[in-house]
Amino acid sequence: MNKSWLKKLGPGLLFAGAAIGVSHLVQSTRAGADFGFGLIWAILLVNLFKYPFFQYGPRYATATGESLIDGYKRLGKGVLIVYYILTFTTMFTIQAAVTIVTAGLAANLFGITPDVTIWSIIITLICLTTLLIGKYKLLDNLIKVIIVILTVSTLIAVGVAIFKTNKTVSFTQIIPKGALEIGFLITFLGWMPAPLDISTWHSLWALEKQKDGDNKYNTKQSIFDFNIGYVGTTILAFCFLGLGALIMYQSGNEFSSSAGVFAQQIIGLYTETLGSQTAIFIGVAAFTTMLSTTLTTLDASPRAMERSSVLLFQKKTKLTYNFWIIILSAGTMIILFYFISNMIALVKVATILSFLTAPFYAIANFMLISSRHTPKEWRPSMGMKIVSYLGILFLVGFSVWYLFNL
């Protein structure tokens, strides 16, 4: 029974695998290190207000049998063109950002070579080979193992931190002020719990889950599956914030812009307080966090580009999944050769771009799920509509606030 229940899960865990990465390991930990528990409000609000727009991905896909990308075309070809341009212009930066963090952690965890460039190439090639050979089914099975390892190791690390800390914990909430603090808040919100374009990826994964022979993966099951993944990402966001607050807050240390040094810092600071025996838990939690993100993002962007290419060019295209995944892998490695020494800048660019494009995805997803293209029974309830309107105001408002404070 339990095995059958786990088998039904899939896209929701892929969502978690894609989401729990830079936003958690880097941004949440840094939020805890810089502000203690002062940004709990930000995690709560952004997870609440982004929730509907993420959920509309699997809801629309399983209710209609087509992806959100197909739905964007129904809203007008212009909407699809904007999506195509946004995806193409951001996918390389996003992939490079998650790969460089993964490479830095791999260099510290495995110790074969300290060269982050070499590790970036190794990780990209391993993920590329895995996806080209195993396709969706292998990704679906592999991510379940990774998420379990990630969750267990992270919870153990947090438990030890709570038990060993001697710090006085304050839950006073903080509103960032000044250009640097506001800039960090926007990057924090940009990928918390994930960029909103993941909703389109989720819709594609949901359709793949149905094609995989699981006819019982209906709309109700897809929403339940999504909720499992979403709640998990939210809990782990608090876990990483807690680790940063309990261990790094007021320590006087600053994060390095080098991926390799950053990995040493984050693992070293944890083990300094928690004890060297916990290094393996911290290392495994950090690495599996980033590996799951690197793997799922490398799969998702090519899927999205393939589908949107087919829709835009009326199927007269050779821009297939294999074409896009090779282009993305090559583009990622080229970017990393130029930005390998400045991880923080790369992450900042990627997260800000994601936040500033979030209103587009929020509005498009809400318009589509509320339209005649969605069966009436699966259109949002009044409660979901209210949260959606508030979410759009939240995302637009923070984007305008950030632009005015540049």
Side-chain angles (χ1 to χ4, degrees):
M1 180 68 178
N2 290 333
K3 187 176 180 181
S4 175
W5 178 79
L6 184 62
K7 188 177 180 181
K8 290 180 180 179
L9 299 179
L13 295 184
L14 290 178
F15 169 85
I20 303 167
V22 171
S23 63
H24 290 59
L25 181 66
V26 180
Q27 302 296 75
S28 292
T29 306
R30 188 179 167 195
D34 292 350
F35 299 95
F37 289 97
L39 293 184
I40 287 178
W41 67 269
I43 293 180
L44 288 172
L45 284 183
V46 78
N47 276 276
L48 171 64
F49 289 139
K50 281 187 178 181
Y51 171 82
F53 312 118
F54 282 123
Q55 195 231 61
Y56 295 155
R59 180 196 286 246
Y60 180 80
T62 51
T64 64
E66 64 179 29
S67 70
L68 280 179
I69 300 171
D70 294 81
Y72 291 165
K73 186 177 182 181
R74 292 186 182 278
L75 292 177
K77 194 173 182 179
V79 177
L80 181 59
I81 292 173
V82 171
Y83 171 76
Y84 191 84
I85 294 171
L86 288 179
T87 302
F88 183 79
T89 54
T90 58
M91 68 179 186
F92 297 102
T93 310
I94 290 173
Q95 192 65 40
V98 299
T99 302
I100 193 175
V101 179
T102 310
L105 292 164
N108 280 271
L109 188 60
F110 300 111
I112 298 172
T113 172
D115 193 324
V116 178
T117 305
I118 293 175
W119 271 112
S120 295
I121 294 171
I122 291 172
I123 289 167
T124 299
L125 291 177
I126 289 174
C127 291
L128 175 63
T129 304
T130 300
L131 293 170
L132 287 176
I133 294 174
K135 304 295 184 182
Y136 174 81
K137 190 168 185 178
L138 177 59
L139 179 64
D140 185 26
N141 292 328
L142 187 60
I143 207 69
K144 290 171 183 174
V145 177
I146 292 175
I147 289 296
V148 169
I149 294 173
L150 161 65
T151 302
V152 172
S153 55
T154 303
L155 290 175
I156 289 174
V158 174
V160 174
I162 293 172
F163 180 75
K164 287 199 169 187
T165 187
N166 294 318
K167 292 183 178 179
T168 301
V169 177
S170 172
F171 290 96
T172 301
Q173 297 304 287
I174 299 170
I175 303 297
K177 299 176 181 178
L180 289 177
E181 288 190 357
I182 291 172
F184 171 73
L185 178 64
I186 294 301
T187 63
F188 182 48
L189 297 176
W191 274 10
M192 175 54 60
L196 266 185
D197 52 334
I198 288 185
S199 60
T200 63
W201 305 356
H202 199 156
S203 69
L204 292 166
W205 287 326
L207 295 177
E208 285 296 323
K209 182 70 172 177
Q210 288 185 322
K211 289 179 188 175
D212 200 33
D214 192 347
N215 296 322
K216 295 181 181 178
Y217 194 75
N218 53 31
T219 306
K220 185 176 180 181
Q221 177 64 33
S222 73
I223 294 175
F224 172 77
D225 175 40
F226 166 73
N227 288 338
I228 293 290
Y230 201 79
V231 170
T233 64
T234 304
I235 291 172
L236 288 176
F238 285 114
C239 286
F240 281 106
L241 179 92
L243 285 173
L246 293 170
I247 298 168
M248 300 183 191
Y249 186 50
Q250 295 179 334
S251 67
N253 292 286
E254 293 184 4
F255 284 118
S256 170
S257 61
S258 164
V261 177
F262 168 81
Q264 289 178 338
Q265 285 180 316
I266 198 167
I267 294 173
L269 283 171
Y270 286 166
T271 55
E272 182 180 327
T273 301
L274 307 182
S276 58
Q277 69 274 15
T278 64
I280 186 63
F281 294 115
I282 298 297
V284 169
F287 180 70
T288 52
T289 295
M290 292 311 308
L291 181 62
S292 67
T293 303
T294 305
L295 190 62
T296 48
T297 53
L298 188 62
D299 173 77
S301 293
R303 284 186 189 278
M305 290 303 293
E306 178 188 32
R307 187 58 194 159
S308 50
S309 295
V310 168
L311 292 170
L312 280 175
F313 305 119
Q314 301 300 314
K315 300 184 180 180
K316 296 177 182 178
T317 176
K318 294 182 180 179
L319 305 180
T320 63
Y321 173 83
N322 288 354
F323 170 83
W324 283 114
I325 197 171
I326 291 171
I327 290 294
L328 178 57
S329 299
T332 297
M333 287 189 278
I334 290 172
I335 289 176
L336 289 174
F337 274 114
Y338 287 98
F339 287 93
I340 201 74
S341 63
N342 200 339
M343 181 199 72
I344 297 298
L346 186 59
V347 169
K348 184 177 181 179
V349 169
T351 50
I352 289 176
L353 283 174
S354 293
F355 190 81
L356 293 179
T357 57
F360 165 79
Y361 294 104
I363 294 169
N365 290 2
F366 183 56
M367 287 177 61
L368 186 59
I369 203 70
S370 304
S371 71
R372 59 184 175 80
H373 305 300
T374 304
K376 283 187 177 181
E377 62 180 309
W378 295 114
R379 293 174 194 172
S381 64
M382 183 56 67
M384 284 289 280
K385 285 183 177 180
I386 291 173
V387 177
S388 296
Y389 286 127
L390 291 174
I392 291 170
L393 287 174
F394 175 83
L395 293 171
V396 172
F398 265 97
S399 295
V400 172
W401 181 52
Y402 171 71
L403 292 173
F404 270 100
N405 282 277
L406 282 176

